[in-house]
Amino acid sequence: MTTPESHSAANPLQGLGEAGQSVWLDFLKRSFIENDLARMIETDGVKGVTSNPSIFEQAIGESEEYQDAVKAFSAHGAPTISQTYEHLAIADIKAAADVLHSVYEATAGRDGYVSLECSPYLANDTEATIAEAVHLWHTVDRPNLMVKIPATEAGLPAIRAVIGKGINVNVTLLFSVDMYRKVAQAYIGGLEDFRAAGGDVGKLASVASFFVSRIDAAIDKKIDALENPAQGDVVRGKVAIANAKMAYVAYGDLFAGPRWDALAAAGAHTQRLLWASTSTKSKSLKDTVYVEALVGKDTVNTIPPKTLDAFRDHGEVQADAITTDLDDARNTLKMLADLGIDLDEVCRGIVVDGVKLFSDAFDKLLGATARQTVEAAPDVVGATTVNPGSDEAKTAFDDEMGSWREGGKIRRLWNMDATLWTGADEAKWGGWLRVVDDQIDDNSVAEFAESLKDKGFTDLVLLGMGGSSLGPQVLAQVLGAQLGWPKFHMLDSTDPQQIADLEAAITLKTTVFITSSKSGSTLEPNIFTDFFWDRMTGEVGKDKVAQHFIAVTDPGSAMEKRAKDDNWSAIFPGIPGIGGRYSVLSNFGRVPAAAIGLDIAELERRTLLMERACGHDVPPDHNPGVQLGVALGVAAHTLGRDKVTIVTSPKIAALGAWLEQLLAESTGKQGHGLIPMADEPLGDPSAYGTDRIFTYVELASDFDPAQRAAMAALAQAGHPVVTLTINQPADIGQEFFRWEIAVAVAGAIIGIDPFDQPDVEASKIKTRALTDAYENGETPEDDRPIYTGEGMKLYADPGNAAALGHQATITDYLKRHFGRIGGGDYAALLAYIDRTIEATAQLTTARTAIRDHTKAATCVGFGPRFLHSTGQAYKGGPNTGVFLQITCDNAHDIPVPGHKYTFAQVKAAQAKGDLSVLVERGRRVIRIHLDDATTGLPHLVKAIEDALV
């Protein structure tokens, strides 16, 4: 923009003012306000400033002058991206308003305004627009502010309501004369409302921003589409001005007559027409045509810098040009109609496009703000890098990212719009989105944890299953034991040996137990509690046992009632609107974490930064959760890559099991889903099929160079690889939240409800029937094996048995079973045995052999813990699994106090229920029972390896 000093006193811009038109500038930038605005008021007669998302995006995104302000603001708490943008914008608006205040005073409030736009995302939401306008008005707190509201159908009642509250309004995106009449009536109605409420209408101002050049640009396209475009040359480049002249005629009619006279007598000002979009789009037109042709008394022209410079240089002022050649203008519009071009229809289309353009610009603006926020503090949130691996994948990812941006889907997600998924009950499951925000100032958990420490507890045992236990385990293992605080232990298995091993590892008298169960009715946490309540009673007596138990459960649950009735040490409520697998950042994670001495305040403070980065106001290209979710969703839904291989830095390896349950329970249903694979050893790229996407969660402060190299090789080989960085262990909460958002995004793409788990309940029902039988003194009949020998028994239902045929050895049966693996299949080893280091290593050997010989993705799950995790996907997801269930005799057993069954019987019932549902779902599954797990498992692994040769 040229500085005005370089021109003579005969400034055409000043001539516009003399002709009764106010010159406003369609531009705003911090350095301009500080250095140029006052001078332009003096020299060019500028009397106002307008802004919009595009202007702010250029100011913030294309310069470095806001970086210090972003850094300073971000250093205070964890502002959202919208809050950061608003902080920057309002500072500029206030500064511009202060510079313009002298004009406001000199013109008795007719001019001197600066305009600030309501979020274009709200253009079709009346109530939200009203709330936003009120918020901006009070936040800016300047009498010479105009809040911009679009002339949409939803905007009309908002305009009246906001005027009725005594707020100045700039009505934007006006194109048609009919809509202008409605806008003027809304303004007049608002004045009447304000006056009736006792307001001074003389202090209110409004302009109706009537867009010009966009109309000619749209009409030109219509003309070009005619069978004979030359017929349209007679109106080409003339329609916008003709339309504006008709609007000015309507202005004269609207602000006349008894209704208006009553308001005018009370001091009301007319709502002036403001000519907007006055830069030319066509090279065939003079660059100042939309200024020169629209000069008129009591109007405003908001001129962009380039056009303003041009008009200052060679503009011509003809007073009352807007009122000349009105018949020609009417004739132009008639000829347009004769060509079959409906101007009203064109205008309606431009409004829709205009809202979209402003929304797109707002996306870019928020994206630029997000980028500057990251640049101001690059170590605050871990990076997300998506390497598509192929042009096909890149195109698919880019298309879906575009869909999320254009459809405002991240905002729909944060609003828990159920139609983003399946339109079922998703809306009631969004408590996890803001749980960190809601509880960050709650110190009650940390204070209670201090009291536990003071009582001298040496051990803490978490009794739970699935998401309520796996999350705290990650926190304990990643962040480590804290000196002077209880040591963390977890029980999530009914295996008698694991229960015995746990009891041997703790000092019972100085142990505190946390029973975690959302519903309070889940079998395992209840019988775990029964067992240790009985043991603790024997150790400390009935009068002191309750001091050793804490409940984390949803309000009104059976567990809450039990804890209250028995006077437990504490009860911490869950949030009903948060499912178990999304609960780690709620009390289900906070209470155990605080109880072992972890700094949950710091954990939440840092997690909040990721919540902000994944916020509703962060466009997809800058949103870590959306980026990851789109990669996962597209991989499964479009590319046929539904096997998610999870690779983590060694120090955060515990994260893998939590991710497995989040992904599998959330997406594996209705024959669709993501099948997660954690802890599978990395292999050469040639070892993998084309059904995988790889996710590499890297701890920046302790990464493994070999893992980095392997990921690079996989990407080079054409596999999609998503690399997620955790800057430090204290940021593990950020990873929880990034993945929670990502899974919700992926669920929308796949087309399922990511918040239910229908097939987990199926196994529970089968298990409950068996345990009820034991409780009633019945012994369920066992199945008959189809093979016995080598210290093993092999079981299969008739369908699977027929597929295997009659074989001579266990190896031969396994050869036939794993021979059923085809392209796109995966293999899962489901082991209902003691989860020891040795057993894990042996099963890892087996899964690696299966992968290397078949290229199939492989899973290992220890039962019953996987039932509340990957079990959902195995039963409800795609029928692409080949399953081997492994059970065993138990060296010893433990009765469940208060019941007629034992833990071994419960485990057997869970295995049988699991197998039964897999068979019902038509899965390729067999069960091998080991007479002795210690000696039998190595033999089974050797048989698997031999079967694959």
Side-chain angles (χ1 to χ4, degrees):
M1 185 162 53
T2 307
T3 55
E5 286 89 342
S6 61
H7 294 267
S8 68
N11 187 338
L13 291 167
Q14 293 280 13
L16 291 174
E18 294 167 3
Q21 184 172 77
S22 296
V23 175
W24 290 9
L25 180 66
D26 196 28
F27 179 75
L28 196 66
K29 190 176 184 180
R30 187 157 297 184
S31 56
F32 163 76
I33 299 167
E34 295 169 350
N35 302 321
D36 299 316
L37 179 56
R39 187 166 58 247
M40 293 186 71
I41 292 170
E42 177 67 24
T43 307
D44 288 331
V46 169
K47 294 181 179 179
V49 170
T50 54
S51 68
N52 60 46
S54 297
I55 288 171
F56 274 117
E57 190 274 326
Q58 291 168 10
I60 295 171
E62 298 179 13
S63 72
E64 298 180 356
E65 64 183 81
Y66 291 84
Q67 286 181 344
D68 290 343
V70 171
K71 188 172 185 178
F73 186 66
S74 299
H76 299 288
T80 66
I81 296 304
S82 290
Q83 288 169 339
T84 301
Y85 150 69
E86 188 175 288
H87 171 75
L88 300 175
I90 285 179
D92 284 359
I93 293 294
K94 285 182 174 181
D98 291 343
V99 175
L100 285 161
H101 194 264
S102 60
V103 178
Y104 176 78
E105 290 286 347
T107 61
R110 196 60 167 153
D111 281 303
Y113 292 94
V114 58
S115 296
L116 177 61
E117 190 127 11
C118 285
S119 168
Y121 299 153
L122 309 176
N124 296 307
D125 187 329
T126 300
E127 294 304 319
T129 297
I130 294 169
E132 171 98 334
V134 171
H135 164 70
L136 294 176
W137 177 255
H138 289 300
T139 304
V140 173
D141 193 23
R142 297 293 190 275
N144 55 330
L145 170 71
M146 279 192 175
V147 178
K148 295 179 78 173
I149 298 176
T152 59
E153 289 298 330
L156 288 172
I159 293 162
R160 176 166 183 161
V162 171
I163 291 291
K165 293 177 184 292
I167 298 172
N168 305 319
V169 175
N170 177 340
V171 182
T172 187
L173 291 180
L174 258 176
F175 297 92
S176 80
V177 176
D178 283 346
M179 180 56 80
Y180 166 58
R181 290 192 179 97
K182 294 177 183 179
V183 165
Q185 293 295 342
Y187 170 64
I188 292 170
L191 287 176
E192 291 170 336
D193 296 341
F194 187 55
R195 184 186 180 198
D200 182 356
V201 293
K203 293 182 178 179
L204 269 173
S206 180
V207 293
S209 294
F210 204 87
F211 283 57
V212 185
S213 65
R214 290 192 195 180
I215 289 179
D216 275 343
I219 293 297
D220 282 353
K221 291 179 181 178
K222 292 287 187 181
I223 292 172
D224 292 340
L226 294 173
E227 185 175 344
N228 182 7
Q231 290 180 324
D233 288 346
V234 67
V235 297
R236 195 185 291 270
K238 299 178 181 179
V239 174
I241 291 172
N243 192 47
K245 289 186 175 188
M246 294 301 100
Y248 190 69
V249 171
Y251 167 76
D253 296 336
L254 287 162
F255 293 97
R259 185 183 181 192
W260 175 251
D261 290 344
L263 288 169
H269 301 288
T270 58
Q271 181 189 53
R272 289 180 294 173
L273 280 161
L274 176 149
W275 311 123
S277 183
T278 53
S279 61
T280 54
K281 305 290 191 287
S282 171
K283 293 181 179 179
S284 65
L285 298 174
K286 184 180 179 181
D287 55 0
T288 57
V289 64
Y290 296 123
V291 181
E292 293 175 352
L294 301 178
V295 178
K297 291 183 178 69
D298 216 21
T299 61
V300 180
N301 198 319
T302 186
I303 309 175
K306 185 176 179 181
T307 304
L308 186 135
D309 286 343
F311 195 84
R312 186 194 300 115
D313 180 72
H314 53 264
E316 299 177 10
V317 178
Q318 178 188 348
D320 298 321
I322 189 73
T323 62
T324 63
D325 302 322
L326 293 180
D327 288 340
D328 287 347
R330 294 185 181 96
N331 190 47
T332 295
L333 298 178
K334 181 180 181 302
M335 287 189 289
L336 180 71
D338 291 343
L339 290 170
I341 299 174
D342 186 334
L343 180 58
D344 286 339
E345 180 183 334
V346 170
C347 290
R348 286 192 294 270
I350 302 174
V351 171
V352 173
D353 291 343
V355 170
K356 182 179 182 301
L357 286 170
F358 274 9
S359 294
D360 290 347
F362 205 58
D363 281 345
K364 292 179 182 178
L365 167 58
L366 294 176
T369 307
R371 175 178 54 77
Q372 291 216 6
T373 300
V374 171
E375 291 172 353
D379 62 341
V380 166
V381 173
T384 304
T385 305
V386 178
N387 189 327
S390 69
D391 291 341
E392 176 195 11
K394 184 178 187 307
T395 298
F397 291 161
D398 288 348
D399 287 348
E400 188 62 34
M401 289 288 281
S403 172
W404 274 76
R405 183 186 62 78
E406 292 171 11
K409 292 182 181 180
I410 188 58
R411 296 189 293 281
R412 292 173 59 196
L413 187 155
W414 275 85
N415 287 331
M416 289 305 291
D417 176 355
T419 62
L420 182 63
W421 296 284
T422 68
D425 69 347
E426 291 94 340
K428 72 178 187 180
W429 293 107
W432 57 277
L433 282 165
R434 294 177 175 85
V435 67
V436 178
D437 249 331
D438 293 343
Q439 69 196 9
I440 198 164
D441 295 323
D442 173 22
N443 298 319
S444 62
V445 171
E447 290 168 357
F448 178 78
E450 287 285 350
S451 73
L452 291 180
K453 181 186 178 188
D454 293 342
K455 291 175 182 176
F457 288 113
T458 59
D459 297 280
L460 179 145
V461 178
L462 178 64
L463 309 174
M465 296 296 292
S468 63
S469 59
L470 291 170
Q473 183 181 47
V474 175
L475 292 170
Q477 293 188 9
V478 171
L479 298 177
Q482 307 299 302
L483 185 64
W485 288 82
K487 182 180 179 182
F488 180 84
H489 309 267
M490 185 178 78
L491 180 62
D492 64 349
S493 174
T494 52
D495 184 85
Q497 189 60 54
Q498 283 189 235
I499 296 170
D501 290 344
L502 171 62
E503 186 176 9
I506 62 177
T507 302
L508 197 58
K509 193 171 184 178
T510 54
T511 295
V512 61
F513 293 89
I514 298 177
T515 301
S516 286
S517 175
K518 272 192 65 64
S519 68
S521 60
T522 302
L523 172 69
E524 297 92 341
N526 276 285
I527 61 176
F528 297 158
T529 302
D530 292 339
F531 174 76
F532 282 108
W533 185 275
D534 181 71
R535 288 289 198 269
M536 186 65 74
T537 301
E539 185 73 22
V540 302
K542 291 182 178 180
D543 57 334
K544 294 182 179 179
V545 62
Q547 299 173 18
H548 293 258
F549 284 83
I550 299 165
V552 184
T553 188
D554 279 3
S557 73
M559 182 63 67
E560 182 190 56
K561 183 179 187 304
R562 176 179 183 176
K564 285 181 177 179
D565 290 347
D566 290 339
N567 197 29
W568 287 18
S569 177
I571 303 171
F572 290 95
I575 298 173
I578 302 179
R581 58 187 173 275
Y582 289 86
S583 68
V584 63
L585 297 171
S586 71
N587 280 339
F588 286 95
R590 299 175 84 224
V591 174
I596 59 172
L598 301 182
D599 186 348
I600 61 172
E602 177 64 8
L603 177 71
E604 289 170 346
R605 185 189 71 79
R606 297 197 65 81
T607 301
L608 192 60
L609 298 169
M610 180 62 81
E611 181 189 310
R612 299 294 190 247
C614 296
H616 66 92
D617 49 5
V618 183
D621 287 346
H622 299 274
N623 192 308
V626 176
Q627 290 173 305
L628 173 59
V630 164
L632 295 172
V634 168
H637 186 255
T638 306
L639 304 176
R641 291 180 175 268
D642 60 355
K643 317 301 187 304
V644 183
T645 302
I646 301 164
V647 181
T648 64
S649 292
K651 192 170 182 178
I652 55 172
L655 182 64
W658 183 84
L659 290 175
E660 279 191 324
Q661 61 90 32
L662 178 69
L663 287 162
E665 276 203 325
S666 298
T667 70
K669 57 202 72 171
Q670 299 172 12
H672 304 288
L674 297 163
I675 309 299
M677 321 279 160
D679 301 321
E680 185 186 58
L682 281 168
D684 185 83
S686 62
Y688 302 100
T690 59
D691 58 344
R692 300 215 197 198
I693 178 172
F694 293 83
T695 59
Y696 173 39
V697 187
E698 181 181 89
L699 181 60
S701 59
D702 190 26
F703 68 88
D704 181 347
Q707 287 181 332
R708 273 193 179 180
M711 291 299 107
L714 287 164
Q716 183 66 31
H719 293 285
V721 175
V722 183
T723 301
L724 310 168
T725 303
I726 301 179
N727 291 318
Q728 54 182 303
D731 290 337
I732 190 67
Q734 293 188 2
E735 207 56 33
F736 291 142
F737 194 81
R738 169 161 42 194
W739 280 89
E740 287 171 350
I741 288 285
V743 168
V745 170
I749 295 169
I750 296 169
I752 49 84
D753 176 354
F755 309 112
D756 69 354
Q757 52 282 333
D759 301 286
V760 170
E761 189 61 28
S763 288
K764 289 182 180 180
I765 292 170
K766 298 283 187 181
T767 299
R768 193 177 302 121
L770 293 168
T771 56
D772 286 349
Y774 286 121
E775 202 77 288
N776 294 327
E778 303 169 13
T779 302
E781 184 178 347
D782 201 0
D783 297 323
R784 298 182 66 178
I786 63 171
Y787 172 84
T788 302
E790 306 170 65
M792 308 179 200
K793 299 181 182 68
L794 189 151
Y795 297 85
D797 67 282
N800 278 292
L804 298 179
H806 179 72
Q807 307 298 327
T809 67
I810 199 73
T811 299
D812 292 335
Y813 276 107
L814 289 168
K815 181 182 287 290
R816 290 296 297 268
H817 184 53
F818 289 121
R820 295 195 280 177
I821 296 174
D825 286 340
Y826 66 96
L829 307 178
L830 312 180
Y832 286 82
I833 61 176
D834 187 11
R835 185 166 56 92
T836 63
I837 294 173
E838 294 77 16
T840 301
Q842 290 161 357
L843 292 172
T844 299
T845 297
R847 76 186 294 186
T848 304
I850 294 169
R851 181 201 65 196
D852 290 347
H853 284 84
T854 67
K855 293 192 175 184
T858 63
C859 314
V860 168
F862 282 91
R865 77 193 310 242
F866 78 83
L867 290 177
H868 299 262
S869 173
T870 50
Q872 166 65 45
Y874 299 158
K875 301 172 186 69
N879 190 3
T880 53
V882 176
F883 302 95
L884 171 59
Q885 187 187 79
I886 304 167
T887 57
C888 68
D889 287 344
N890 296 280
H892 72 279
D893 200 356
I894 301 173
V896 179
H899 299 277
K900 295 180 181 179
Y901 48 73
T902 67
F903 279 104
Q905 288 173 325
V906 172
K907 186 180 74 165
Q910 290 171 313
K912 192 167 186 177
D914 179 31
L915 184 67
S916 177
V917 177
L918 288 169
V919 169
E920 287 178 358
R921 302 296 165 86
R923 292 343 192 205
R924 291 162 286 178
V925 57
I926 61 173
R927 174 167 75 99
I928 292 180
H929 184 85
L930 308 176
D931 295 340
D932 180 273
T934 303
T935 59
L937 185 59
H939 182 68
L940 174 60
V941 171
K942 179 66 165 59
I944 291 172
E945 291 179 309
D946 292 344
L948 295 165
V949 175

